[in-house]
Amino acid sequence: MKVTDVLVHCLENEGVEYVFGIVGTEILDLVDSLSNSSQIQYVNVRHEQGAAFMADVYGRLSRKVGVCLSTLGPGASNLLTGIASAQLDHSSVVALIGQAGLERHHKESHQYIDIVKMFEPVSKWSTQINESQTVPAIIRKAFRIAKMEKPGSVTISLPENFATQMIPGEPLPVTSLPECIPVNEAIEAAITLIKKSLKPFIIVGNGVIRQEGVSELLPFIETLQSPVTHSFMAKGVLFKEHPLNFFTFGFKENDEVGPGLNEADLLIVIGFDFVEKLPKDWNEKKLPVLHIDTLPAEINEYYPVKVELVGDIKKTLQRLNQSVLPAKSWVSTDKLKENIKTVYQIDPYQPNTLSFSIENVLHSIEAHTSEGTIVISDVGSHKVSIARTYQPKGPNRLIISNGLASMGIAVPGAIGAKLACPDAPVICITGDGGALMNFAEIETAKRLGLSFIIIVLNDSMLKLEVEQMNQKFGESQGATFQNPDFVKLAVSFGISGKRARNLIEFDNILKDALLYKEDIVLIDVVLEH
């Protein structure tokens, strides 16, 4: 078989269902080989960045490795943002990238850049196939590295002169990732530390969701009876009304959880990724830390680890739950939870009396959606509001990019979400700044026959930057613009476009859109400035 046929067989062996990409001269044979697969659907997209975002969100929700594809040069550089985003958000992605033949690598040549070096800073492993016989081993290693904690992105470039070479290669067997759990001495040290504390505060990160440890975390929380807060990407681990739910922390300003963390005498940090917020921003008092994660703690003066439980989070929590742990119930002296709910606007839903704000749009979504609904947040001021206000009804039902935090992820992310979870309602929320960055992928979604809701928050500005500049300089520059008619633009793509100018209109449009499951509906939300 030719090299690209072997490569596709290796992808099939890894359980790949979709490859997102744009065809180019250097990958013609690979796309041709993909077309002969009965297992893998090649999804031709409108921009390589969109392909990487689709692979990212698909991977997060399917718990598989997302795969994207591009040609060399500008195709590869267009992938870069999405690959970096997957790396910092710890999402498993493998990128296959066409490259010039080896005979062109030593000299200046059309569209040739060093792809391996370009992707090294933004991936777990960046490599090139330099010998056709190594394809099975490289693909197996790539998927293994992408999945191993902490997950991330892997890039493989394929020089075009190898594509049609004939090799006898067969896929390597897929083996389970190694598992480890803390030794008994570490477990006992953790139990002793917890027993000595009077006011432990539990911090939950996205690693708990990645490691499928939510069902083990809940009894741990119930036993300890201590307050719990979530990172942006871990929202939904505790349901909204849980008495120990102290919602979300990690905000640049008005982080109402901070006083509670400062009042604690032990921080139990489980599966938290520093990329979401550095400890110096939430542990100014340098409180002692019980570190529970898949990797050892990063050395940091604001993260003074007393005990480390390193290994599989799910199994570690199982071990702790088998132990006799005392209840450590305590209440903050300053009505912490009430203050959080007030400032974060976690309020009852009353569409007839509330203003048309992003927070009340979120309340409407929360009120009318089912438990399985997936919400994808783009990046902008609304991301902060979503992290504060919106309460998902389960873990991994709210996708927020909070590592690289790249604008433009929402629409392609919705495509990845719908392919991963075809029966789940999907809503993507984007500002008018991020919307047009990958708006062309609506054509991709329409062509695939997908259905989801796009909410465009329309205020003709980069609101977060406007607010920051006004605060710093008293005025803003370079952060406002004019928008197209989003409703007409939606119709031009063959999807339904609706405009909401007040909360009641939005409420009615959303309810109808949730019932209409056969197409894409865009809601142009003209917010109050």
Side-chain angles (χ1 to χ4, degrees):
M1 291 187 291
K2 67 179 181 179
V3 163
T4 55
D5 288 336
V6 173
L7 196 155
V8 170
H9 282 309
C10 291
L11 297 181
E12 292 172 333
N13 186 56
E14 299 290 343
V16 174
E17 296 176 306
Y18 298 98
V19 173
F20 308 94
I22 293 182
V23 70
T25 301
E26 290 71 23
I27 55 172
L28 294 179
D29 282 279
L30 181 51
V31 174
D32 179 63
S33 295
L34 284 168
S35 71
N36 295 321
S37 173
S38 59
Q39 174 183 313
I40 301 172
Q41 180 179 353
Y42 174 63
V43 178
N44 52 310
V45 305
R46 305 308 299 264
H47 194 284
E48 291 89 353
Q49 185 184 104
F53 283 146
M54 291 174 204
D56 174 350
V57 176
Y58 171 84
R60 294 193 212 192
L61 291 169
S62 68
R63 302 193 183 280
K64 298 181 178 181
V65 177
V67 181
C68 55
L69 173 67
S70 82
T71 190
L72 81 176
S77 62
N78 283 345
L79 275 180
L80 192 68
T81 296
I83 294 303
S85 182
Q87 175 71 2
L88 292 189
D89 279 355
H90 297 302
S91 181
S92 303
V93 170
V94 167
L96 305 170
I97 306 170
Q99 179 57 296
L102 292 181
E103 74 280 0
R104 294 206 277 134
H105 287 203
H106 68 286
K107 56 189 175 183
E108 183 179 52
S109 185
H110 180 66
Q111 290 191 316
Y112 171 74
I113 53 177
D114 192 327
I115 292 171
V116 172
K117 286 185 178 179
M118 181 171 70
F119 281 93
E120 278 179 348
V122 298
S123 57
K124 291 181 74 177
W125 185 42
S126 180
T127 192
Q128 178 172 285
I129 296 171
N130 290 316
E131 166 55 55
S132 57
Q133 301 280 354
T134 63
V135 167
I138 287 176
I139 295 299
R140 180 78 277 270
K141 181 178 178 179
F143 277 74
R144 184 178 173 86
I145 289 175
K147 286 283 285 183
M148 288 179 69
E149 284 286 335
K150 293 183 177 182
S153 53
V154 172
T155 59
I156 304 169
S157 60
L158 174 64
E160 62 179 323
N161 58 290
F162 289 125
T164 58
Q165 288 185 5
M166 304 302 289
I167 60 172
E170 289 290 332
L172 298 184
V174 175
T175 56
S176 300
L177 294 176
E179 293 182 352
C180 65
I181 57 174
V183 297
N184 291 334
E185 290 81 358
I187 294 289
E188 292 301 322
I191 294 170
T192 300
L193 184 63
I194 293 171
K195 286 180 177 179
K196 287 181 178 179
S197 69
L198 298 176
K199 295 181 176 181
F201 209 120
I202 301 170
I203 293 175
V204 178
N206 192 40
V208 174
I209 297 174
R210 287 197 305 266
Q211 292 263 290
E212 302 183 44
V214 174
S215 59
E216 285 71 28
L217 177 63
L218 295 179
F220 177 77
I221 291 170
E222 295 292 345
T223 298
L224 220 57
Q225 287 295 300
S226 296
V228 180
T229 188
H230 308 73
S231 73
F232 288 19
M233 295 172 67
K235 292 191 70 168
V237 167
L238 289 186
F239 63 86
K240 178 180 179 180
E241 301 302 334
H242 195 291
L244 299 174
N245 187 357
F246 283 72
F247 305 104
T248 320
F249 82 107
F251 300 98
K252 187 175 182 180
E253 298 176 348
N254 301 322
D255 196 329
E256 295 300 315
V257 181
L261 296 176
N262 288 335
E263 197 175 338
D265 63 1
L266 174 66
L267 301 180
I268 303 175
V269 184
I270 309 175
F272 178 75
D273 303 319
F274 279 13
V275 73
E276 292 210 59
K277 202 68 174 176
L278 290 172
K280 70 180 182 64
D281 295 321
W282 47 266
N283 192 16
E284 294 179 359
K285 294 179 68 176
K286 303 178 183 179
L287 299 169
V289 170
L290 169 56
H291 173 84
I292 303 175
D293 207 348
T294 54
L295 296 179
E298 186 173 338
I299 301 302
N300 192 307
E301 64 178 303
Y302 292 95
Y303 198 71
V305 175
K306 297 301 180 183
V307 176
E308 292 184 79
L309 299 182
V310 178
D312 184 284
I313 293 175
K314 182 185 183 77
K315 294 184 182 299
T316 300
L317 290 170
Q318 287 173 348
R319 290 286 307 278
L320 288 172
N321 290 335
Q322 292 167 2
S323 307
V324 179
L325 292 171
K328 294 288 181 176
S329 179
W330 63 281
V331 179
S332 177
T333 56
D334 58 359
K335 296 184 178 179
L336 181 65
K337 189 161 187 174
E338 291 81 355
N339 291 339
I340 294 171
K341 293 186 75 171
T342 298
V343 174
Y344 291 5
Q345 300 186 46
I346 303 171
D347 302 315
Y349 173 61
Q350 297 173 318
N352 294 316
T353 60
L354 297 176
S355 63
F356 198 31
S357 64
I358 173 58
E359 288 76 19
N360 291 323
V361 165
L362 296 172
H363 287 308
S364 176
I365 295 170
E366 196 176 319
H368 296 305
T369 52
S370 61
E371 184 175 334
T373 300
I374 299 168
V375 172
I376 316 287
S377 172
D378 215 317
V379 174
S381 65
H382 62 279
K383 185 188 87 167
V384 178
S385 297
I386 290 170
R388 290 185 190 275
T389 304
Y390 180 71
Q391 302 303 312
K393 297 178 176 68
N396 222 21
R397 298 294 93 177
L398 173 61
I399 302 297
I400 295 180
S401 175
N402 202 35
L404 190 66
S406 175
M407 293 173 67
I409 193 173
V411 173
I415 294 172
K418 198 66 184 179
L419 291 175
C421 306
D423 297 327
V426 173
I427 299 173
C428 73
I429 305 174
T430 179
D432 47 6
L436 292 178
M437 290 186 175
N438 282 304
F439 204 83
E441 301 303 348
I442 291 177
E443 188 278 326
T444 306
K446 178 70 176 177
R447 177 171 16 101
L448 292 171
L450 304 180
S451 62
F452 52 87
I453 297 170
I454 304 169
I455 295 172
V456 179
L457 305 171
N458 187 348
D459 56 12
S460 299
M461 68 175 74
L462 300 174
K463 187 176 179 180
L464 183 61
E465 285 67 29
V466 167
E467 291 173 346
Q468 290 174 339
M469 293 178 78
N470 284 339
Q471 184 178 7
K472 189 172 185 178
F473 307 116
E475 61 180 358
S476 64
Q477 301 291 338
T480 60
F481 39 74
Q482 293 181 344
N483 284 321
D485 186 320
F486 283 106
V487 172
K488 290 182 179 178
L489 192 57
V491 171
S492 74
F493 277 90
I495 68 172
S496 176
K498 306 288 182 181
R499 180 169 290 115
R501 296 187 180 276
N502 57 61
L503 192 59
I504 295 175
E505 286 184 2
F506 175 81
D507 204 64
N508 291 330
I509 293 170
L510 178 65
K511 286 189 288 186
D512 289 343
L514 287 167
L515 294 173
Y516 188 57
K517 300 179 180 179
E518 303 302 321
D519 206 348
I520 303 165
V521 178
L522 181 145
I523 308 175
D524 180 16
V525 175
V526 185
L527 289 173
E528 298 172 358
H529 287 215

